[in-house]
């Protein structure tokens, strides 16, 4: 079914109204959803860090075990050497065994030193783990609070948002893909979320730059889709607010008189 430009513009206008309402709902949430997301990311970071620290702890503990085992081995050797020393045949043999024993003794000293070092590393790492755990707990509390806060806000607007979501689906169905894509693109670039606006008081309702008279005529004609030459927003119509409200506004300010004068010149 062929749709006219006027119908397309009307459909876009409707979609815009729905989206603006959705924007309002989301505005109430403020930065909360992002804050929740940031905290969740931060917490994952701490958890990863703790895991890494624990793996390092395991390595140090492994070192200690290895060294303890080698001390046991050295002690066994020393005991065996002591026995052998009782059965030596000459001084040379005795001295050789003594040398071996000294060597094992040195091994034990080195191992003890390594164990001490590893223990120090473990203590330092454990302190880091405790500190990170503490921060993790704090952030988890923050996250729980923010999540609760967000849940309350969401629950208050959930029904309305769902209803608007359904209206949005219906409204976008009637709009061709290409147009819908442009609409979404303009909207994502616009700070106020407006992609479709009317000309109000001779100016674009999105960026408030003046729209030339001939362009306004074309917009009113609705023969083709016209965008604002300054901001790129779709100009769906012209609101003759000034003309209608002019009589009671005449007495107010000079600025408005000027506006009206321009309007007259344009017509
Ligand atoms: Zn504009």
């Amino acid at each position: 079914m062929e749709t006219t430009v006027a119908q397309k513009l009307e459909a876009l206008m409707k979609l815009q109204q729905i989206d603006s309402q959705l924007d309002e709902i989301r505005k109430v949430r403020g930065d909360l959803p992002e804050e929740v997301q940031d905290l969740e990311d931060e917490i994952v970071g701490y958890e990863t860090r703790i895991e890494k620290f624990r793996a390092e702890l395991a390595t140090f503990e492994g070192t200690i075990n290895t060294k303890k085992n080698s001390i046991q081995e050295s002690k066994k050797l020393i005991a065996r050497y002591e026995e052998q020393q009782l059965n030596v045949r000459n001084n040379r043999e005795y001295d050789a065994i003594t040398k071996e024993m000294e060597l094992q003794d040195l091994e034990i000293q080195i191992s003890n030193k390594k164990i001490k070092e590893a223990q120090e590393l473990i203590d330092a790492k454990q302190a880091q783990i405790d500190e990170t755990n503490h921060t993790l707990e704090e952030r988890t509390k923050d996250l729980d609070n923010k999540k609760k806060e967000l849940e309350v806000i969401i629950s208050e607007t959930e029904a309305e948002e769902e209803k608007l979501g359904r209206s949005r689906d219906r409204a976008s169905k009637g709009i061709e893909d290409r147009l819908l894509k442009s609409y979404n693109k303009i909207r994502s670039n616009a700070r106020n979320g407006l992609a479709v606006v009317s000309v109000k008081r001779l100016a674009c309702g999105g960026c408030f730059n003046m729209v030339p008279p001939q362009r306004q005529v074309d917009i009113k004609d609705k023969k083709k889709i016209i965008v604002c030459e300054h901001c790129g927003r779709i100009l769906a119509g012209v609101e003759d607010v000034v003309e209608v409200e002019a009589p009671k506004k005449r007495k107010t300010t000079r600025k408005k008189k000027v506006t009206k004068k321009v309007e007259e010149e344009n017509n």
Side-chain angles (χ1 to χ4, degrees):
M1 196 185 74
E2 194 64 27
T3 43
T4 65
V5 170
Q7 284 169 327
K8 284 178 189 175
L9 288 171
E10 199 186 319
L12 282 172
M13 221 24 178
K14 189 156 181 226
L15 185 61
Q16 177 67 70
Q17 275 162 9
I18 295 166
D19 278 336
S20 293
Q21 276 175 279
L22 281 167
D23 286 348
E24 278 306 309
I25 288 176
R26 285 174 193 139
K27 214 189 277 171
V28 176
R29 291 177 202 163
D31 294 330
L32 263 181
E34 278 147 52
E35 284 171 22
V36 165
Q37 183 62 56
D38 286 350
L39 276 171
E40 277 170 347
D41 293 345
E42 207 181 325
I43 284 170
V44 170
Y46 291 133
E47 282 166 347
T48 312
R49 201 178 299 172
I50 290 170
E51 243 171 71
K52 200 182 125 234
F53 288 162
R54 291 232 163 94
E56 285 169 9
L57 270 192
T59 312
F60 301 144
E61 275 157 6
T63 306
I64 290 178
N65 280 334
T66 311
K67 294 300 166 195
K68 276 184 178 165
N69 284 337
S70 85
I71 289 173
Q72 287 310 315
E73 290 302 311
S74 296
K75 280 182 176 167
K76 268 187 217 160
L77 280 174
I78 291 171
R80 203 189 299 160
Y81 292 145
E82 276 171 348
E83 261 175 53
Q84 286 174 2
Q85 258 180 346
L86 298 174
N87 303 313
V88 290
R89 282 164 296 182
N90 49 46
N91 275 348
R92 203 167 55 86
E93 267 184 39
Y94 187 91
D95 288 346
I97 292 171
T98 304
K99 214 167 187 179
E100 287 299 326
M101 284 168 78
E102 281 170 1
L103 210 66
Q104 288 309 317
D105 201 48
L106 196 65
E107 284 290 332
I108 290 174
Q109 285 180 45
I110 293 169
S111 290
N112 275 327
K113 192 168 170 272
K114 296 270 181 211
I115 288 171
K116 198 170 160 261
E117 281 169 5
Q119 193 55 56
E120 277 166 10
L121 288 170
I122 285 174
D123 291 346
K125 204 48 76 178
Q126 192 57 56
Q128 278 181 302
I129 290 176
D130 292 347
E131 201 191 318
T132 313
N133 261 328
H134 178 72
T135 316
L136 178 64
E137 270 171 37
E138 299 271 291
R139 291 292 170 279
T140 307
K141 265 184 233 159
D142 289 348
L143 176 65
D144 286 346
N145 287 337
K146 291 223 185 281
K147 265 186 167 169
K148 268 181 211 143
E149 214 179 309
L150 185 60
E151 269 163 27
V152 170
I153 295 173
I154 288 176
S155 69
E156 280 167 358
T157 50
E158 211 173 21
E160 199 191 344
E161 201 180 359
E162 274 173 23
K163 204 175 126 212
L164 283 168
R166 284 193 295 274
S167 307
R168 194 188 190 279
D169 288 345
R170 275 196 304 274
S172 21
K173 252 175 214 157
I175 301 167
E176 60 191 295
D177 268 359
R178 191 185 51 83
L179 201 54
L180 202 56
K181 261 186 203 149
S182 321
Y183 167 83
N184 287 328
K185 199 173 165 215
I186 302 169
R187 218 175 96 75
S188 65
N189 289 331
R191 218 191 303 169
N192 57 8
L194 291 175
V196 183
V197 294
S198 296
V199 176
K200 286 177 193 167
R201 299 182 197 282
L202 315 176
C204 163
C207 70
F208 308 109
N209 278 298
M210 288 314 233
V211 179
Q214 183 52 48
R215 221 169 162 75
Q216 289 190 43
V217 172
D218 293 340
I219 294 162
K220 274 185 184 167
D221 274 354
K222 301 197 178 186
K223 290 278 185 292
K224 59 178 181 170
I225 291 171
I226 293 167
V227 299
C228 170
E229 54 191 348
H230 299 282
C231 67
R233 287 182 177 91
I234 297 164
L235 296 166
V238 178
E239 281 182 26
D240 296 318
V241 187
V242 178
E243 246 176 349
V244 176
E245 291 181 3
K248 62 180 175 188
K249 280 199 168 178
R250 185 159 289 163
K251 61 177 187 283
T252 56
T253 60
R254 232 177 85 198
K255 204 174 149 201
K256 272 166 193 159
K257 273 185 198 162
V258 173
T259 315
K260 187 173 180 288
K261 208 172 143 213
V262 177
E263 170 85 344
E264 278 160 357
E265 278 166 10
N266 289 340
N267 285 344

